[in-house]
């Protein structure tokens, strides 16, 4: 126990006692240690017998008025504010009991105080017996005549003891404060509610009751800035219940398009046609004629093709079946077939053979309950697989998509199914679109939609500006996500919905759809490619996605940088294996049938799907319905986009020229003194890069300081200097004395 002996603190002696308002003086002086408590014989009325019968007022914040706050704990002789001062200043010796009267409340807010029905307790003698009080009436409010407060000496003993002047409510037996009562908001309380009653007492005159309906409404917004907070007065704001702000949208009454617009295809009555068995026998005979031990064990009929599954005998090579590709195609008498050797996840080899009669997959056939009831706003329906199951993808998971294929292979219809799927599930404040249509005919149906950020872009020169805006919006959104400590747009919108009191900005998804990328790359390819790479690289979390289509899937159009950031590819029929390899990084698209037959590749192996068909009438009906629900609300127009691009170009030119002009004189003087001008010499002298040195030499040539480059001049002397130092100073507006 001696090891843990408590160290006694050192006592401090003062010449004069140190006085603190919270500590009362005693004969014992300051306590240097915690005094021991001994239980008294008589228990405290308030605290019992285990605690000292002593009240200590502690001010932890240091913002309380000492003169008024501690008087309740001082004796009559030591009070800082005397009764005369209280009577003169507040009109009462007990200002802490001052509250707003019912009549004053009705005068300020125009609402008569009516407690809830459950709080109205009937009294046997309502005029005699009072159990509680409501709002306290001001002094002499009953007579409405202001009298000068009597001196303390003239007051009776009873008046000195009790001077509350409480006005009991005569209508109800119990009328205490109920927090359920509707109280005014904090922003609507006039400032004069917080002023002292002394000012009102000085200016109070005999009141004549007026009709409150004739009074002008109070300008509460101007009074809001004048609110005065005083610790000595009752804090009315503690009884005020504030309601969270609910951000309303102008699209609250917007209704999504109906689903009965889309037609459904009629089910085929002939489920097992005769030609299925005929083609099965042809495949078996072809295998037998080439001494390949195997036969068709199963087949699956799809909307456009049928897949026959071949089980090979033990020891047979799969490559032998692949080598018979042309023989199968010739014996079956079809345009093209596709061999899966083997089928992913199975022990069989698949041969996909076109059907004699292709069944159309309508868009109404793939609208399922899962699509309608899904909370994911970015789900799009694409078509049906070979088993007849609807195939869907979520753009949020893609997160970007490349659609490529030859002309009339179904590429434009696929783009329409993606757009219609998005329009069926999203309001204009949930989805925004940027449509780029260089051909001017593919997206003409969607003109005037309220979902558009800008009118449909048909001028290729405006595309770099629109993509630059998307890049800037992406950066701005990341700042918003960072400020709210969320990872992506989905978490941000959930937080905004769960906490309406924060009044967060609602961030819609932004889908950028480009119909023909090849036409854009021939113009401003470098700038467009840079913006596409930035968007596809990191715009997913910000809710910005791209769908890019092209009918010329070459390496010059779909570069490796663009394709590397777009993991989802949709390939339609192409002309050659090279094009299929450019899209899918493997073959297969050259053997498709066209007319909606496509391969979808994301992470797994390509999946063959028959794309859904949506007619022009159905697209027009959906767009007309949406345009009838809401008007266009563009973020920027084409004219604003042009002006912004021009300003950006001017700023870049000015910045470039300004950077060159700062060093132009030094470079020119160096060339004049050395009597030669060469790009290599400028690079070595000023530590410039080749491009910057070349640009400065071009500026010197335009100003006439150096000569033009002569074609065929292979000498290392550089360009000829055309001016001397005096002429150079005059050209730059500088005196000779400044440059000695």
């Amino acid at each position: 126990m001696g090891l843990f002996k408590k160290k006694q603190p050192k006592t401090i002696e003062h010449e004069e006692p140190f006085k603190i308002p919270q500590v009362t003086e005693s004969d014992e002086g300051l306590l240097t240690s915690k005094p021991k408590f001994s239980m008294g014989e008589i228990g405290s009325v308030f605290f019992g017998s285990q605690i000292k019968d002593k009240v200590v007022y502690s001010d932890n914040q240091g913002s309380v008025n000492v003169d008024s706050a501690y008087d309740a704990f001082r004796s009559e002789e030591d009070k800082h504010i005397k009764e005369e001062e209280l009577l003169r200043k507040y009109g009462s010796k007990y200002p802490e009991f001052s509250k707003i009267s019912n009549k004053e409340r009705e005068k300020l807010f125009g609402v008569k105080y009516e407690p809830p029905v459950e709080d109205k307790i009937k009294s046997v003698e309502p005029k005699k017996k009072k159990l509680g009080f409501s709002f306290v009436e001001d002094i002499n409010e009953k007579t409405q005549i202001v009298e000068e407060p009597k001196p303390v000496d003239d007051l009776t003993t009873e008046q000195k003891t009790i001077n509350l002047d409480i006005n009991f409510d005569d209508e109800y037996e119990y009328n205490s404060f109920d927090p359920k009562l509707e109280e005014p908001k904090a922003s609507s309380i006039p400032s004069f509610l917080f002023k002292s009653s002394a000012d009102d007492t000085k200016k109070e005159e005999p009141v004549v009751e007026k009709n409150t309906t004739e009074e002008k409404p109070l300008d509460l917004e101007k009074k809001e800035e004048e609110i005065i907070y005083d610790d000595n007065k009752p804090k009315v704001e503690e009884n005020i219940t504030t309601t969270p702000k609910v951000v309303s949208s102008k699209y609250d009454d917007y209704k999504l398009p109906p689903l009965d617009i889309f037609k459904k295809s009629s089910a085929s009555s002939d489920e097992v046609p005769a030609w299925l068995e005929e083609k099965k026998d042809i495949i078996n005979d072809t295998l037998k004629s080439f001494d390949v031990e195997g036969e068709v064990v199963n087949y699956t009929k799809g909307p456009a093709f049928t897949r026959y599954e071949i089980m090979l005998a033990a020891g047979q090579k799969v490559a032998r079946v692949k080598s018979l590709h042309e023989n199968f195609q010739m014996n079956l008498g079809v345009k093209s077939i596709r061999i899966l050797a083997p089928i992913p996840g199975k022990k069989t080899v698949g041969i996909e053979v076109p059907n004699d009669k292709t069944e159309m997959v309508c868009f109404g056939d793939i609208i399922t309950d899962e699509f309608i009831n899904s909370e994911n706003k970015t789900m799009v329906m694409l078509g049906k697989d070979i088993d007849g199951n609807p195939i869907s993808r979520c753009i949020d998971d893609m997160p970007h998509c490349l659609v490529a294929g030859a002309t009339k292979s179904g590429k434009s219809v696929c783009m329409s199914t993606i757009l219609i799927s998005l329009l069926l599930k999203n309001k204009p404040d949930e989805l925004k679109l940027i449509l780029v249509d260089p051909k001017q005919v593919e997206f003409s149906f969607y003109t005037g939609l309220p979902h558009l950020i800008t009118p449909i872009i048909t001028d290729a020169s405006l595309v770099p500006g629109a993509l630059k805006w998307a890049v800037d919006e992406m950066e701005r959104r990341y700042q918003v996500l960072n400020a709210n400590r969320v990872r992506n747009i989905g978490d941000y919108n959930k937080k905004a919905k769960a906490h309406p009191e924060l009044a967060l900005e609602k961030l819609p998804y932004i889908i950028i759809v480009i119909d023909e990328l090849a036409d854009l790359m021939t113009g401003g390819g470098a700038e467009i490619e840079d913006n596409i790479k930035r968007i596809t690289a990191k715009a997913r979390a910000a809710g910005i996605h791209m769908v890019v289509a092209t009918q010329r899937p070459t390496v010059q159009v779909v570069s490796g940088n663009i394709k590397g950031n777009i993991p989802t590819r949709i390939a339609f029929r192409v002309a050659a294996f090279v094009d299929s390899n450019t899209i899918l990084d493997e073959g297969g698209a050259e053997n498709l049938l066209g007319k909606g037959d496509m391969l979808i590749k994301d992470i797994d192996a390509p999946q063959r799907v028959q794309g859904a068909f949506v007619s022009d009438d159905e697209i027009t009906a959906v767009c007309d319905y949406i345009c009838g629900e809401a008007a266009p609300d563009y973020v920027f127009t084409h004219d604003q986009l042009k002006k912004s691009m021009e300003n950006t170009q001017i700023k870049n030119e000015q910045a470039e020229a300004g950077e060159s002009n700062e060093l132009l004189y030094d470079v020119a003087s160096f060339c004049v003194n050395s009597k030669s001008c060469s790009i290599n010499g400028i690079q070595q002298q000023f530590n410039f890069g080749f491009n910057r040195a070349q640009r400065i030499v071009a500026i010197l040539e335009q100003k006439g300081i150096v000569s033009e480059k002569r074609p065929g001049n292979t000498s290392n002397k550089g360009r000829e200097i055309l001016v001397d130092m005096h002429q150079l100073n005059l050209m730059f507006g500088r005196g000779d004395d400044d440059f000695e």
Side-chain angles (χ1 to χ4, degrees):
M1 295 299 292
L3 296 176
F4 301 98
K5 184 177 180 181
K6 185 176 180 181
K7 185 177 180 180
Q8 296 295 334
K10 297 181 180 180
T11 59
I12 302 175
E13 297 181 357
H14 299 275
E15 296 180 359
E16 296 181 2
F18 180 76
K19 296 182 180 181
I20 302 177
Q22 295 91 328
V23 179
T24 59
E25 296 181 357
S26 62
D27 298 336
E28 299 177 359
L30 295 175
L31 298 178
T32 59
S33 62
K34 186 176 179 180
K36 297 182 179 180
F37 173 75
S38 58
M39 184 174 60
E41 299 179 358
I42 303 176
S44 169
V45 179
F46 301 97
F47 309 106
S49 60
Q50 302 297 326
I51 303 176
K52 277 189 176 183
D53 189 7
K54 182 179 180 181
V55 179
V56 179
Y57 189 91
S58 177
D59 176 21
N60 295 326
Q61 297 181 352
S63 60
V64 178
N65 190 340
V66 178
D67 290 339
S68 60
Y70 295 99
D71 267 359
F73 307 97
R74 296 189 179 101
S75 60
E76 292 294 331
E77 299 80 16
D78 297 332
K79 286 184 180 296
H80 289 193
I81 301 178
K82 304 300 181 181
E83 294 180 354
E84 295 84 357
E85 181 67 14
L86 292 175
L87 289 172
R88 185 188 64 79
K89 188 174 181 180
Y90 301 105
S92 172
K93 294 190 298 182
Y94 303 94
E96 60 268 23
F97 291 96
S98 299
K99 291 184 178 295
I100 305 173
S101 63
N102 288 333
K103 186 174 295 184
E104 187 69 13
R105 186 180 191 275
E106 182 178 358
K107 177 181 177 182
L108 296 176
F109 304 105
V111 180
K112 186 176 181 180
Y113 174 73
E114 289 292 338
V117 179
E118 58 269 15
D119 290 341
K120 296 182 180 180
I121 304 175
K122 296 183 179 180
S123 174
V124 180
E125 296 179 0
K127 297 295 182 179
K128 298 180 180 180
K129 187 177 181 180
K130 312 295 181 185
L131 296 181
F133 61 93
S134 60
F135 298 100
V136 179
E137 300 289 338
D138 294 337
I139 285 193
N140 301 316
E141 186 176 355
K142 297 179 181 180
T143 58
Q144 300 296 334
I145 299 175
V146 178
E147 297 180 359
E148 292 294 331
K150 297 180 181 180
V152 181
D153 298 334
D154 298 338
L155 297 177
T156 61
T157 306
E158 184 177 0
Q159 289 176 337
K160 291 182 180 180
T161 306
I162 301 176
N163 188 18
L164 297 180
D165 292 333
I166 299 175
N167 178 31
F168 292 92
D169 201 325
D170 295 335
E171 297 180 4
Y172 310 110
E173 181 184 13
Y174 179 79
N175 190 14
S176 62
F177 178 79
D178 188 355
K180 297 180 180 180
L181 293 178
E182 183 179 357
E183 290 291 328
K185 296 182 180 180
S187 60
S188 62
I189 295 182
S191 61
F192 49 78
L193 288 183
F194 297 93
K195 295 180 181 180
S196 62
S197 59
D199 300 336
D200 299 337
T201 306
K202 294 178 181 179
K203 300 178 182 180
E204 194 169 350
E205 296 178 1
V207 178
V208 180
E209 295 186 357
K210 297 180 181 181
N211 187 4
T212 57
T213 58
E214 298 179 357
E215 297 180 0
K216 296 182 179 180
L218 297 174
D219 192 358
L220 301 181
E221 295 181 357
K222 295 182 179 180
K223 295 291 184 179
E224 180 181 359
E225 300 177 356
E226 301 175 3
I227 295 179
I228 302 173
Y229 296 96
D230 192 345
D231 296 328
N232 299 329
K233 301 174 182 57
K235 296 183 180 181
V236 182
E237 65 274 11
E238 294 179 356
N239 297 333
I240 298 172
T241 58
T242 58
T243 57
K245 297 180 180 179
V246 179
V247 181
S248 60
S249 174
K250 61 180 179 179
Y251 299 108
D252 291 339
D253 298 333
Y254 178 89
K255 296 181 180 179
L256 297 175
L259 302 179
D260 54 1
I261 296 176
F262 307 101
K263 299 178 182 179
K264 295 184 178 182
S265 60
S266 58
S268 177
S269 58
D270 189 8
E271 297 181 358
V272 184
W275 49 264
L276 286 175
E277 294 292 334
E278 294 177 1
K279 293 184 177 181
K280 174 183 175 182
D281 296 337
I282 293 174
I283 294 174
N284 289 331
D285 294 340
T286 304
L287 293 173
K288 187 176 180 181
S289 61
F290 286 93
D291 297 331
V292 178
E293 297 181 5
E295 61 177 353
V296 177
V297 295
N298 187 21
Y299 59 82
T300 304
K301 178 179 176 296
F305 62 92
T306 301
R307 184 172 63 196
Y308 296 89
E309 299 182 15
I310 301 174
M311 178 68 72
L312 296 177
Q316 295 292 322
K317 292 184 178 181
V318 176
R320 294 194 60 188
V321 180
K322 296 184 65 176
S323 64
L324 300 177
H325 182 276
E326 289 81 5
N327 299 94
F328 284 122
Q329 183 174 342
M330 180 185 64
N331 294 338
L332 292 171
V334 294
K335 295 181 179 180
S336 64
I337 63 173
R338 180 169 175 258
I339 297 179
L340 299 176
I343 299 175
K346 292 187 177 182
K347 298 180 180 181
T348 56
V349 177
I351 300 179
E352 296 176 348
V353 182
N355 295 337
D356 291 350
K357 183 178 180 182
T358 302
E359 299 176 2
M360 180 181 296
V361 177
C362 297
F363 188 75
D365 298 336
I366 61 176
I367 299 179
T368 60
D369 295 337
E370 180 184 0
F371 170 74
I372 298 172
N373 300 325
S374 175
E375 296 181 357
N376 194 328
K377 299 292 185 178
T378 62
M379 178 181 289
V380 295
M381 304 302 295
L382 299 176
K384 286 185 177 181
D385 61 2
I386 190 172
D387 296 322
N389 300 321
I391 300 300
S392 63
R393 290 290 188 273
C394 294
I395 294 183
D396 192 18
D397 297 331
M398 283 183 178
H400 312 285
C401 180
L402 171 64
V403 182
T407 305
K408 295 183 179 180
S409 60
K411 180 175 77 287
S412 299
V413 177
C414 178
M415 305 283 284
S416 296
T417 56
I418 292 175
L419 290 174
I420 294 298
S421 300
L422 294 172
L423 294 175
L424 290 178
K425 292 183 66 68
N426 294 274
K427 296 181 180 180
D429 59 343
E430 298 172 342
L431 172 71
K432 292 297 182 182
L433 298 173
I434 296 179
L435 303 182
V436 180
D437 183 15
K439 292 187 290 187
Q440 304 182 15
V441 293
E442 297 296 342
F443 295 152
S444 59
F445 302 99
Y446 308 99
T447 303
L449 287 180
H451 299 75
L452 293 176
I453 292 178
T454 184
I456 299 175
I457 300 175
T458 57
D459 188 0
S461 62
L462 298 178
V463 177
L467 296 179
K468 182 64 171 59
W469 176 90
V471 172
D472 296 339
E473 176 65 13
M474 175 187 68
E475 299 294 343
R476 186 191 71 85
R477 289 192 172 196
Y478 274 116
Q479 294 178 1
V480 174
L481 298 180
N482 183 28
N484 291 275
R485 297 183 179 181
V486 292
R487 289 181 176 271
N488 50 51
I489 187 175
D491 296 341
Y492 175 85
N493 288 332
K494 289 180 181 178
K495 182 177 181 179
K497 186 177 181 180
H499 302 281
E501 67 277 2
L502 300 177
L504 297 178
E505 171 194 3
K506 187 173 184 180
L507 297 180
Y509 285 93
I510 297 178
I511 311 296
I512 304 173
V513 184
I514 300 177
D515 179 65
E516 185 52 63
L517 181 63
D519 183 72
L520 302 179
M521 297 297 290
T522 55
E527 187 176 0
I528 291 177
E529 183 178 357
D530 292 340
N531 290 328
I532 290 177
K533 286 190 295 185
R534 291 198 62 187
I535 293 173
T536 55
K538 67 172 188 176
R540 173 182 181 178
I544 302 177
H545 308 277
M546 291 196 70
V547 179
V548 181
T550 181
Q551 63 181 2
R552 197 176 67 187
T554 60
V555 180
Q556 290 74 19
V557 177
V558 186
S559 61
N561 293 328
I562 294 178
K563 193 171 63 173
N565 293 327
I566 302 179
T568 303
R569 292 87 176 269
I570 300 178
F572 290 87
R573 180 177 175 85
V574 294
F577 171 82
V578 178
D579 297 335
S580 177
N581 190 39
T582 303
I583 305 170
L584 303 175
D585 296 328
E586 61 180 279
E590 72 278 5
N591 296 322
L592 297 177
L593 305 176
K595 295 183 179 180
D597 190 15
M598 58 185 176
L599 290 173
I600 303 176
K601 180 180 180 180
D602 35 28
I603 299 177
D604 302 328
Q607 182 182 12
R608 192 169 184 178
V609 176
Q610 179 62 34
F613 176 76
V614 54
S615 63
D616 295 344
D617 295 336
E618 294 173 344
I619 298 175
T620 303
V622 172
C623 294
D624 290 344
Y625 178 88
I626 294 175
C627 292
E629 287 290 322
D633 186 14
Y634 300 129
V635 178
F636 54 86
T637 61
H638 289 178
D639 294 337
Q640 295 173 345
L641 186 59
K642 289 180 181 179
K643 188 177 296 184
S644 176
M645 294 176 62
E646 292 175 358
N647 294 336
T648 303
Q649 184 177 2
I650 292 174
K651 290 180 180 179
N652 293 337
E653 292 177 355
Q654 291 177 350
E656 182 178 342
E659 180 184 1
S660 302
N661 287 333
E662 293 179 359
L663 299 175
L664 188 59
Y665 178 81
D666 295 337
V667 176
S669 60
F670 166 75
C671 295
V672 172
N673 294 328
S674 61
K675 298 181 181 181
S676 176
C677 177
S678 63
I679 297 177
N680 293 334
I682 295 175
Q683 285 183 264
Q684 295 175 2
Q685 180 67 23
F686 296 94
N687 196 19
F688 288 164
F690 177 81
N691 294 333
R692 188 176 182 183
Q694 186 181 27
R695 184 174 65 249
I696 292 177
V697 171
I699 295 175
L700 295 178
E701 179 183 338
Q702 293 176 0
K703 290 181 175 293
I705 300 175
V706 299
S707 63
E708 298 181 358
K709 182 179 181 181
R710 297 178 182 179
N713 184 11
T714 58
S715 63
N716 297 326
K717 295 182 179 180
R719 303 194 185 192
E720 183 181 356
I721 305 299
L722 304 178
V723 297
D724 55 12
M725 200 64 189
H726 176 71
Q727 294 174 340
L728 181 65
N729 294 336
L730 294 178
M731 292 178 64
F732 282 88
R734 304 184 182 185
D736 294 338
D737 297 338
D738 299 335
F739 308 100
E740 290 181 354

